Amino acid sequence: MNLLKMNSSIMNFCIYGLGSTGKSAAKFLKSKNFNNIKIWDDKMRTKKKKKNFLKYLDSSDFIIVSPGINLKKSKLKNKLLRNKHKIITDLDLFYLFNPSIKSIVITGTNGKSTTCKILEHVLKKNRINVKLGGNIGKPILDLKLINRPVVIIEASSFQLAYSKYIKPNYAAILNITKDHLDWHGTMKEYMNSKLKIFSNQSNNDFAFLNNKSLIKKFKKNNYKSKLKYVNKKKYKNLQKKIKNNYLNSKANNENLNYIYEISKVLNIKTKNVTKSLTNFKG
């Protein structure tokens, strides 16, 4: 699907939730000349606006839902579930409008933000044009994609649960532990939301995993991307060369395992990775 080729004057969008993500999506669509946009937030008190929004849900082409909204607990539950096939996220818009941009998606229960920040630092130090957004800091649709940067995206399970078109060139799940089960319902649903980062990848893309049960699921689902096993032993040899007390901690070891493996696939020399990590400031 390519929204760029579609008639912006007849496409209808509904945006549910006016946090930073919802506002960013509305601003982005308007910049692309999509003017048929209806917005609702539960903090709004106007019954007429809510009634109009509910009416437009059925006729909309896409419904963009903010990450914090749980469909099963929403005040608009029935309507949203009936139109679930139309629901997408800001991540989907990013990929639909930027099909040729190189991207790295990082997800997991713990360590996402730290890994993204360190990876951004390593790429910058090695003269790679890079942008960072998503669940960390700036909404992904607010990024200025000047000179075709590599985009690092921190993706939460809330975003991924509704995503349909996400297609990273490099995708990593750092870890999965019991969390957010009040939102997802079950551990299986939580895990499936994370695995979505591999769903649309091609055989030219890369997947990074260090968990045997996730690797088993990856193979069972017949994902097309090249699987890279993140081996802790490989990083231990590199760790001795990094003179950085902040990074030489147990908490950061897993994050750095992934950064090392991703850097190798990006053809960054090991000595340059070491040098970059030595001058990283947390």
Side-chain angles (χ1 to χ4, degrees), residues 251-266:
N252 269 317
N253 283 347
E254 184 174 53
N255 306 333
L256 292 169
N257 286 333
Y258 277 88
I259 287 163
Y260 178 49
E261 289 297 329
I262 293 169
S263 297
K264 283 199 299 181
V265 171
L266 292 172

Side-chain angles (χ1 to χ4, degrees), residues 104-257:
I104 304 169
V105 171
I106 306 289
T107 192
T109 307
N110 302 302
K112 297 187 294 297
S113 296
T114 303
T115 303
C116 286
K117 286 298 292 182
I118 299 172
L119 184 59
E120 179 195 31
H121 174 81
V122 171
L123 267 57
K124 279 185 175 179
K125 287 294 179 181
N126 285 278
R127 297 179 181 178
I128 294 174
N129 182 18
V130 61
K131 292 287 183 180
L132 172 61
N135 195 51
I136 181 174
K138 187 173 283 192
I140 193 69
L141 295 174
D142 287 353
L143 296 180
K144 304 298 182 186
L145 305 179
I146 300 168
N147 297 326
R148 299 177 61 78
V150 174
V151 179
I152 300 172
I153 301 171
E154 181 188 327
S156 72
S157 60
F158 303 146
Q159 288 172 302
L160 293 172
Y162 301 140
S163 294
K164 293 178 173 66
Y165 301 104
I166 183 170
K167 190 186 181 302
N169 302 95
Y170 312 92
I173 300 178
L174 304 180
N175 47 60
I176 293 185
T177 58
K178 287 185 177 180
D179 200 2
H180 305 309
L181 297 191
D182 57 330
W183 198 96
H184 290 281
T186 66
M187 191 65 186
K188 183 181 178 181
E189 288 296 317
Y190 179 47
M191 192 177 290
N192 285 341
S193 72
K194 296 289 190 187
L195 288 165
K196 276 191 176 184
I197 61 174
F198 307 126
S199 297
N200 298 320
Q201 285 190 303
S202 70
N203 52 15
N204 293 319
D205 300 322
F206 292 87
F208 299 84
L209 290 168
N210 70 354
N211 180 290
K212 288 181 179 178
S213 63
L214 285 176
I215 289 171
K216 190 175 178 181
K217 281 187 174 293
F218 182 94
K219 292 177 178 178
K220 186 180 178 181
N221 290 339
N222 293 316
Y223 294 127
K224 294 177 182 178
S225 48
K226 297 179 182 76
L227 176 61
K228 292 288 183 179
Y229 175 59
V230 181
N231 192 327
K232 295 178 183 179
K233 292 179 182 178
K234 288 182 183 178
Y235 171 67
K236 279 188 177 180
N237 296 325
L238 182 69
Q239 188 180 16
K240 298 170 187 175
K241 300 175 184 178
I242 300 170
K243 308 301 179 184
N244 189 326
N245 291 332
Y246 173 77
L247 294 179
N248 285 330
S249 64
K250 190 175 179 181
N252 269 317
N253 283 347
E254 184 174 53
N255 306 333
L256 292 169
N257 286 333

Side-chain angles (χ1 to χ4, degrees), residues 62-96:
F62 287 107
I63 302 165
I64 300 160
V65 175
S66 292
I69 293 169
N70 187 331
L71 295 193
K72 295 173 184 175
K73 296 179 181 178
S74 167
K75 294 176 181 178
L76 311 183
K77 174 183 173 180
N78 294 334
K79 274 277 189 182
L80 289 171
L81 290 176
R82 192 155 60 240
N83 289 283
K84 193 176 179 181
H85 61 287
K86 301 177 185 176
I87 293 175
I88 60 171
T89 68
D90 61 326
L91 293 182
D92 292 315
L93 284 179
F94 175 82
Y95 280 96
L96 287 169

